[in-house]
Amino acid sequence: ASAWDTVQKLLPESAQRERRENGDETHTETTPKCGSFVHLHVGFDATGLPSNEELGIHHLVVDDWRKGVDGKRNVFNISIPTTLDPTAAPEGKHVAHVYGAANEPWGDWANVKYGSDEYRRMKKEAGDDLYRALERVIPDIRSRVECEMIATPLTQRRFVKKLEGTYGPGVDMTRFNVYGANLPPGPTTGVPNLYATGDSTYPGIGVPAAAGSGFFTANSIVSVWKHMGMVLGLGWDKIGKNV
């Protein structure tokens, strides 16, 4: 859960009351959030396309360099993982993922009802923008598509369980703790025996950073030497069969 979801939904009333009294609640609530996402996932026919090496796995499409990475739908990331691992799709096919770089304002979607006509219209518009980015890499992509999924900030909130579908805190997590102004960067939350992992804590947003936060949290609870002892079976029961 994100920091906002944790403090709003998971803490007992006594912990919430203490956070209100010491100002931590206000600190968390006023921490800036990154924008949300629109996504396009497609499976498509690869007939006649360049070789996997030439097509490449990653592409960045920028509409206007003056608008910056956080300009609405100004920057799109494209990943075609089947150029590296062809077994991720049937023979002769590719898959691609296109997404806005956390540059979709939640406010545009906040009052839109999931599944409504307005939602379907906005979703189609988002899909068109995503396709236009992918067309910069594969110009005839729309005629090749065999499977399509479009996702919005409401999808992000529903399945990723993030408040407002946010990417995460919009601050430098190497210098900041979302849970309290007086807390050092890292897994501490100010709540006894509660440690944080994920993109709401050090080192920050993104899959590698979120995964890395688990190491930092584990090492905050148990020493590196004890971890090594458990892995190698030195002084503690060895954990796992494959380590």
Side-chain angles (χ1 to χ4, degrees), residues 18-19 30 74 109 166 189:
E18 183 175 347
R19 284 177 48 79
T30 56
N74 186 49
W109 300 82
T166 181
T189 64

Side-chain angles (χ1 to χ4, degrees), residues 29-47:
E29 291 304 312
T30 56
T31 296
K33 305 178 189 70
C34 290
S36 190
F37 295 86
V38 288
H39 298 263
L40 173 67
H41 294 270
V42 289
F44 58 96
D45 182 24
T47 302

Side-chain angles (χ1 to χ4, degrees), residues 22-127:
N22 64 22
D24 285 349
E25 180 181 77
T26 299
H27 172 79
T28 301
E29 291 304 312
T30 56
T31 296
K33 305 178 189 70
C34 290
S36 190
F37 295 86
V38 288
H39 298 263
L40 173 67
H41 294 270
V42 289
F44 58 96
D45 182 24
T47 302
L49 288 177
S51 68
N52 289 348
E53 183 177 353
E54 185 179 351
L55 183 58
I57 181 174
H58 289 138
H59 303 268
L60 185 71
V61 174
V62 180
D63 181 48
D64 187 338
W65 286 101
R66 294 169 297 181
K67 294 181 180 179
V69 68
D70 56 352
K72 181 178 178 180
R73 298 183 196 167
N74 186 49
V75 178
F76 288 104
N77 295 284
I78 299 172
S79 175
I80 311 174
T82 38
T83 59
L84 290 186
D85 181 8
T87 66
E91 186 176 354
K93 312 294 181 184
H94 274 309
V95 294
H97 175 209
V98 188
Y99 62 95
N103 51 25
E104 188 72 11
W106 169 254
D108 291 357
W109 300 82
N111 298 314
V112 178
K113 185 178 179 180
Y114 191 83
S116 66
D117 289 343
E118 181 182 17
Y119 177 77
R120 285 191 287 269
R121 175 185 60 78
M122 293 175 65
K123 184 177 179 179
K124 183 180 183 306
E125 291 175 355

